[in-house]
Amino acid sequence: MTVTPNIVFSSIKFGSFKFNSYNLCSNKFKNNSSTSALSITGTTIDGTNASLFSVTTAPALSIPANGSTTMIVQFAPTSSGAKTAALHIASSDSSVGAAFDINLTGTGATAAPTITNVTTNPTVPSNTDTPYVTAT
């Protein structure tokens, strides 16, 4: 009895996102056994930036033979820079050890500045004026 994603992977790469925003990633896992149900006994996230990643939709606790389940993982950076953690899916599948492990990576990106209060002086410059622009 094994649990594997439909597409074999060992990592989820979220890419770059503005901090104080988030991205969701949906992952489908299949029970490859044709005779036995697979029990999911828990999911945990640990590592340097574990608090920035979360399981928002947990996988089903039991996956029938040849069945599948979907799990949604969220990345919500709170600062800029590379972020990493590890997701562990514990199950009744002894062939994967204590848990099926997935590396999580993402990058927090600084939001572009908002430009406000734009003014020009003089409002309508002539050939001899030195115009300038101010903004906040």
Side-chain angles (χ1 to χ4, degrees), residues 3-14 25-30 32 69-73 86-89 96 99-105:
V3 58
T4 57
N6 281 346
I7 299 172
V8 177
F9 65 93
S10 61
S11 65
I12 298 173
K13 296 178 182 178
F14 284 90
C25 183
S26 178
N27 303 281
K28 188 172 186 176
F29 294 90
K30 184 173 191 239
N32 289 328
T69 185
T70 300
M71 174 181 63
I72 298 177
V73 180
L87 169 65
H88 310 285
I89 304 168
V96 297
F100 182 76
D101 301 321
I102 300 172
N103 295 319
L104 304 173
T105 61

Side-chain angles (χ1 to χ4, degrees), residues 8-91:
V8 177
F9 65 93
S10 61
S11 65
I12 298 173
K13 296 178 182 178
F14 284 90
S16 183
F17 292 90
K18 294 185 293 187
F19 57 86
N20 297 323
S21 67
Y22 66 90
N23 184 39
L24 300 173
C25 183
S26 178
N27 303 281
K28 188 172 186 176
F29 294 90
K30 184 173 191 239
N31 178 359
N32 289 328
S33 172
S34 60
T35 58
S36 302
L38 177 70
S39 297
I40 302 293
T41 57
T43 59
T44 58
I45 298 176
D46 62 19
T48 305
N49 306 112
S51 65
L52 305 179
F53 298 90
S54 60
V55 175
T56 59
T57 301
L61 295 178
S62 180
I63 307 169
N66 292 316
S68 63
T69 185
T70 300
M71 174 181 63
I72 298 177
V73 180
Q74 175 177 294
F75 171 54
T78 57
S79 63
S80 59
K83 311 299 179 193
T84 61
L87 169 65
H88 310 285
I89 304 168
S91 72

